[in-house]
């Protein structure tokens, strides 16, 4: 059974990108598509495009390489953004198949067919060869163009739009969602969902229907939606007055899907006066800790004695951090697994263990597939997400929301502290003094000038290591990841005891070690590591607590050679990780800003990692 599941996961391949579309009996301002795409940019941002059907049934299409803002500028410079239409589609891309070019950007067209697609078509080469033999020409090299050509070809041999679409779907293999329009049939929009997410939004007056990868794309005021299930075919039809969505399975049997009420589509998301979303989100961290801890602590999971956390990236580090406290203070056996590894091993699973899947987006493919694998074996699953409507929340037996609010910056910051605070609330409901923690996290923000000074020194290093022991090590990993992601400096994390087992060989005058050493039970050991680094001419940055100033200054080697000593508030092991987390977030932010990087959209990344 497990092999079957692993094979199924492999077969599903990779899916990214964001799609949005509308069909309305009213005329809709097509600039709304651009606003929706801005909110979907977390799914990929290498190129984007929109298309809509004009009154004369011609198709307007505009694509751009780069950010949605580039497309907005391009459209503004080449005519009005404020065009009205009954039907339109939009796409933001994270390239998987075919390089980043205008030709490969979506929407893709063929004849009167125009479509957007999120996912991969595994057998596209074979279909493409057949279409080339049938005389069709291709302008780019994506699998998506093949879908457009195939539907167009089906129409040309006499099929209706709907039948051409159905016949196409029956030939395609892969994991994808799709929205197609046809200027010959402008009162219809056809959609298909398999693995890649697709949600249908319905306006209150039933005069407009939206389709998107995420409810975030819907305009404000959309309160009802239907989450499409795998292999749903959705025919959206306008009779000129109302618009309806008919759901079919692959055998064209009509199916009923539940309507979720009172959803909260984001509408406009603002930076609230901050320069970037990242800075805004870092500033939200202290408030979130208090909010989430107080809200969640009534939902205890403390009766579970064995936990297996499964997650990726920053969410995994939140698990590693939490496991330290679960074992020490709640006597809970806590194991941490990287989802992409866990899925491909043959993990020993246990009946009395609760499998906890942590994911900010709730869409991370590796975590989702690991969850499906554990569920398929009948084990107990729980999800910790920042999106209650996400695939991971819906798949798990139960879930909790970390209530961090939409996290727009690609690098996760506020979700990390929200995940940690949530896990503390779920397992140790009375342990955190959140008033004090919030206040001292704000103190780190107020100390930003000191962090900026440090950032000035750090930007010249090519080799940065973050070092900590036990819970500080989890923060070291988080710090190194943020530094890499945002500044592209190759930063590594080590537990202090491991330095002497190999990494110390890399120490020389060009290395900068950022060391977490507040005065706690690990201080002496960690300082020894710092001394070993200074003895080899490495530069050290010590992050310690204010009352430790006199003590740290007695370490003459550290003081004389150190590039920097930063002070956080006095605390204890329940509170230091919060101060250190916001510190490393702000440090990575400042380094990246000084290097002129785009902190909200670092290169090569996407917020929702729905690729293998
Ligand atoms: C790092 C970061 C990523 C995510 C990882 C998992 O700043 O954002 O490492 O933490 O891709 O994402 P989620 O939590 O959405 O499953």
């Amino acid at each position: 059974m497990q092999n079957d599941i692993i094979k199924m996961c492999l077969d599903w391949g990779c899916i990214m990108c964001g799609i949005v579309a509308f069909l309305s009996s009213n005329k809709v301002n097509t600039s709304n598509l651009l606003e929706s795409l801005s909110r979907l940019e977390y799914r990929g941002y290498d190129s984007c495009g929109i298309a809509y059907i004009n009154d004369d049934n011609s198709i307007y299409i505009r694509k751009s390489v780069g950010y949605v803002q580039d497309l907005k500028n391009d459209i503004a410079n080449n005519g009005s953004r404020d065009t009205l239409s009954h039907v339109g589609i939009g796409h933001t891309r994270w390239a998987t198949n075919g390089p980043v070019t205008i030709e490969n950007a979506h929407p893709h067209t063929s004849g009167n067919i125009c479509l957007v697609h999120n996912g991969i078509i595994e057998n596209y080469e074979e279909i493409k060869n057949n279409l080339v033999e049938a005389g069709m020409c291709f302008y780019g090299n994506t699998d998506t163009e093949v879908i457009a050509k195939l539907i167009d070809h089906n129409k040309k041999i006499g099929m209706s739009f709907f039948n051409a679409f159905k016949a196409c779907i029956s030939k395609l293999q892969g994991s994808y969602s799709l929205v197609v329009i046809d200027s010959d049939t402008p009162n219809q929009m056809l959609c298909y969902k398999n693995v890649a997410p697709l949600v249908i939004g319905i306006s209150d007056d039933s005069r407009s229907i939206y389709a998107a990868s995420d409810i975030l794309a819907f305009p404000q005021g959309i309160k009802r939606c239907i989450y499409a299930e795998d292999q749903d075919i959705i025919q959206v039809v306008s009779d000129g007055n109302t618009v309806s969505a008919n759901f079919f399975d692959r055998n064209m049997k009509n199916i009923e899907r539940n309507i979720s009420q009172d959803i909260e589509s984001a509408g406009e998301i603002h930076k609230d006066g901050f320069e970037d979303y990242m800075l805004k989100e870092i500033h939200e961290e202290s408030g979130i800790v208090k909010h989430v801890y107080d809200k969640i602590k009534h939902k205890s999971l403390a009766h579970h004695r064995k936990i297996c956390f499964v997650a990726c990236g920053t969410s995994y580090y939140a698990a590693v951090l939490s496991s330290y406290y679960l074992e020490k203070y709640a006597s809970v056996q806590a194991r941490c697994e990287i989802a992409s590894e866990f899925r491909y091993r043959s993990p020993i699973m246990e009946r009395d263990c609760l499998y906890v899947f942590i994911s900010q987006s709730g869409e991370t493919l590796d975590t989702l597939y690991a969850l499906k694998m554990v569920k398929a074996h009948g084990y107990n699953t729980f999800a910790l997400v920042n999106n209650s409507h996400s695939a991971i929340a819906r798949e798990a037996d139960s879930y909790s929301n970390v209530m961090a609010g939409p996290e727009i910056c690609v690098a996760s910051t506020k979700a990390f502290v929200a995940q940690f605070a949530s896990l503390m609330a779920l397992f140790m409901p009375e342990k955190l003094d959140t008033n004090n923690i919030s206040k001292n996290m704000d103190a780190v923000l107020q100390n930003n000038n000191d962090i900026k000074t440090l950032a000035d020194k750090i930007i010249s290093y090519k080799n940065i290591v973050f070092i900590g022991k036990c819970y500080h090590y989890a923060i070291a990993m988080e710090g190194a990841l943020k530094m890499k992601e945002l500044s592209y400096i190759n930063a590594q994390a080590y537990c202090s005891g491991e330095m002497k087992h190999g990494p110390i060989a890399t120490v020389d005058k060009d290395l900068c070690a950022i060391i977490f050493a507040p005065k706690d039970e690990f201080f002496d050991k960690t300082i020894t590591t710092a001394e070993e680094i200074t003895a080899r001419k490495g530069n050290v940055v010590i992050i310690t607590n204010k009352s430790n100033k006199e003590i740290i200054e007695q370490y003459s080697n550290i003081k004389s050679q150190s590039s920097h000593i930063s002070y956080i508030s006095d605390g204890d092991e329940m509170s230091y990780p919060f101060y250190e987390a916001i510190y490393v977030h702000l440090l990575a932010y400042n380094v990246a800003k000084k290097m002129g990087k785009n902190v909200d959209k670092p290169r090569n990344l996407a917020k929702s990692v729905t690729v293998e």
Side-chain angles (χ1 to χ4, degrees):
M1 159 101 113
Q2 185 167 337
N3 285 345
D4 289 348
I5 294 163
I6 289 174
K7 181 177 180 307
M8 177 171 81
C9 296
L10 279 168
D11 288 348
W12 283 344
C14 55
I15 40 174
M16 267 343 234
C17 309
I19 59 185
V20 62
F22 69 84
L23 179 68
S24 177
S25 53
N26 301 327
K27 280 200 158 182
V28 172
N29 191 328
T30 56
S31 67
N32 289 351
L33 285 172
L34 295 166
E35 300 315 320
S36 296
L37 288 185
S38 296
R39 297 196 290 273
L40 285 178
E41 261 189 323
Y42 74 90
R43 302 184 71 86
Y45 39 80
D46 59 45
S47 52
C48 52
I50 61 165
Y52 51 83
I53 299 180
N54 291 313
D55 283 346
D56 62 1
N57 280 11
S58 60
I59 296 178
Y60 170 93
I61 179 160
R62 197 94 204 168
K63 310 200 258 190
S64 165
V65 166
Y67 299 125
V68 174
Q69 189 54 49
D70 298 316
L71 179 63
K72 286 180 182 172
N73 296 344
D74 177 34
I75 291 175
N77 295 338
N78 288 287
S80 164
R81 277 180 56 182
D82 298 322
T83 312
L84 301 174
S85 175
H86 290 288
V87 59
I89 56 181
H91 186 273
T92 179
R93 181 169 188 243
W94 191 89
T96 49
N97 205 320
V100 179
T101 60
I102 291 263
E103 291 75 30
N104 290 339
H106 301 215
H108 283 276
T109 50
S110 182
N112 296 326
I113 293 295
C114 190
L115 61 83
V116 285
H117 158 233
N118 170 23
I120 53 154
I121 307 301
E122 286 153 10
N123 58 338
Y124 82 98
E125 284 286 0
E126 181 194 326
I127 299 174
K128 187 171 179 175
N129 291 341
N130 292 340
L131 289 169
V132 169
E133 267 175 34
M136 313 257 338
C137 297
F138 285 78
Y139 51 79
N141 33 21
T142 62
D143 48 354
T144 311
E145 193 189 342
V146 173
I147 313 175
K149 291 269 153 45
L150 181 55
I151 300 175
D152 186 29
H153 172 77
N154 290 345
K155 272 186 68 193
K156 287 195 169 109
I157 58 174
M159 295 185 202
S160 66
F161 175 37
F162 191 47
N163 286 340
F165 176 77
K166 269 188 331 185
C168 169
I169 299 288
S170 68
K171 287 235 161 64
L172 303 180
Q173 288 166 13
S175 41
Y176 60 97
S177 58
L178 190 63
V179 181
V180 192
I181 57 175
D182 174 11
S183 60
D184 286 336
T185 320
N187 67 331
Q188 275 194 45
M189 174 169 93
L190 302 178
C191 318
Y192 180 70
K193 187 244 185 251
N194 189 33
V195 184
L198 191 72
V199 56
I200 304 295
I202 308 158
S203 69
D204 268 355
D205 59 6
S206 297
R207 290 177 67 84
S208 308
I209 282 190
Y210 294 81
S213 306
D214 185 332
I215 58 171
L216 269 184
F218 297 155
Q220 233 162 0
I222 299 292
K223 293 274 172 241
R224 294 181 297 157
C225 78
I226 300 173
Y227 288 93
E229 305 271 335
D230 287 346
Q231 309 205 336
D232 280 359
I233 293 172
I234 305 126
Q235 181 188 38
V236 184
V237 190
S238 167
D239 65 8
N241 186 25
T242 55
V243 181
S244 53
N246 308 312
F247 281 68
F248 302 95
D249 66 14
R250 286 185 64 126
N251 301 317
M252 292 317 294
K253 207 169 131 246
N254 236 288
I255 34 181
E256 290 291 319
R257 291 275 173 241
N258 289 339
I259 301 184
S260 304
Q261 308 281 349
D262 290 327
I263 57 156
E264 279 187 28
S265 53
E268 289 294 307
I269 298 175
H270 295 289
K271 290 182 191 159
D272 292 345
F274 288 97
E275 213 175 318
D276 328 82
Y277 284 111
M278 180 171 188
L279 193 58
K280 173 183 177 239
E281 288 161 9
I282 292 173
H283 275 77
E284 287 169 0
E285 288 185 22
S286 61
I288 287 168
V289 169
K290 196 172 151 33
H291 177 71
V292 69
Y293 191 76
D294 292 345
K295 285 258 171 184
I296 288 192
K297 65 184 179 191
H298 310 292
K299 282 189 172 189
S300 180
L301 291 180
H303 55 286
H304 290 278
R305 307 295 357 124
K306 265 190 201 172
I307 300 293
C308 176
F309 291 118
V310 185
C312 302
T314 280
S315 296
Y316 171 76
Y317 300 145
V320 174
L321 179 60
S322 306
S323 67
Y324 172 84
Y325 297 94
L326 262 58
E327 294 194 325
K328 183 160 180 181
Y329 292 108
S331 302
V332 173
Q333 187 182 315
R335 163 179 153 202
C336 301
E337 298 276 359
I338 293 175
S340 57
E341 288 289 307
F342 182 70
R343 292 174 50 200
Y344 289 98
R345 296 209 327 261
S346 302
I348 308 290
M349 293 195 238
E350 296 165 286
R351 282 280 149 234
D352 57 347
C353 178
L354 178 68
Y355 291 83
V356 177
F357 296 83
I358 309 176
S359 174
Q360 186 284 131
S361 61
E363 300 289 344
T364 299
L365 204 77
D366 286 318
T367 312
L368 176 62
Y369 286 172
L371 165 59
K372 284 177 187 279
M373 179 178 93
V374 173
K375 249 190 99 176
H377 284 83
Y379 295 96
N380 203 356
T381 60
F382 181 87
L384 190 65
V385 292
N386 194 28
N387 176 358
S388 301
H389 303 288
S390 59
I392 290 174
R394 284 181 286 131
E395 185 76 29
D397 296 325
S398 54
Y399 75 91
S400 189
N401 191 314
V402 299
M403 293 182 264
E407 192 179 60
I408 305 301
C409 174
V410 164
S412 187
T413 53
K414 62 177 181 171
F416 173 75
V417 295
Q419 288 163 341
F420 176 51
S422 298
L423 288 166
M424 293 300 93
L426 289 165
F427 289 95
M428 278 170 271
E430 301 305 329
K431 199 86 183 150
L432 299 190
D433 175 356
T434 49
N435 283 331
N436 199 37
I437 289 174
S438 290
K439 190 182 86 207
N440 289 329
M441 287 175 83
D442 286 340
V444 176
L445 295 175
Q446 282 146 23
N447 201 23
N448 197 24
N449 280 343
D450 169 64
I451 298 178
K452 281 184 176 165
T453 308
L454 173 58
D456 271 332
K457 297 174 183 170
I458 281 182
I459 51 176
S460 56
Y461 287 102
K462 297 211 164 26
N463 191 3
I464 298 183
V465 294
F466 286 74
I467 295 173
K469 194 166 183 64
C470 289
Y471 66 92
H472 300 294
Y473 173 52
I475 300 290
M477 291 194 281
E478 168 64 1
L481 178 62
K482 289 292 111 87
M483 188 62 77
K484 277 192 274 246
E485 255 185 312
L486 294 159
S487 68
Y488 318 146
I489 297 173
N490 191 11
Q492 299 295 329
Y494 298 109
C495 23
S496 56
E498 273 294 292
M499 282 303 286
K500 59 187 174 296
H501 295 290
I504 202 159
T506 65
V507 176
D508 61 15
K509 65 176 181 23
D510 297 325
L511 175 126
C512 175
I514 299 173
I515 302 175
F516 301 96
K519 189 86 179 83
D520 60 9
E521 63 174 300
F522 311 119
F523 175 74
D524 294 340
K525 301 275 175 236
T526 308
I527 283 301
T528 303
T529 306
E531 295 262 37
E532 287 163 1
I533 291 171
T534 59
R536 287 156 183 88
K537 303 218 168 8
N539 303 285
V540 294
V541 174
I542 302 288
I543 298 158
T544 191
N545 58 309
K546 286 185 179 140
S547 309
N548 206 27
K549 193 167 190 297
E550 265 182 38
I551 296 177
I552 204 86
E553 289 190 351
Q554 286 164 14
Y555 290 88
S556 55
N557 290 334
I558 288 174
K559 211 182 153 228
S560 61
Q561 285 189 38
S562 167
S563 352
H564 205 88
I565 299 176
S566 266
Y567 294 98
I568 51 176
S569 300
D570 294 332
D572 55 25
E573 67 178 345
M574 298 309 301
S575 53
Y576 282 137
F578 290 103
Y579 313 156
E580 290 173 359
I582 194 165
Y583 184 97
V584 294
H585 292 160
L586 209 48
L587 178 62
Y589 171 84
N590 282 308
V591 171
K593 284 300 274 189
K594 283 182 190 289
M595 294 172 87
K597 309 292 187 215
N598 184 335
V599 290
D600 284 338
K601 293 179 189 132
R603 71 180 182 199
N604 303 341
L605 298 177
K607 181 96 186 133
S608 207
V609 184
T610 48
V611 290
E612 281 223 51

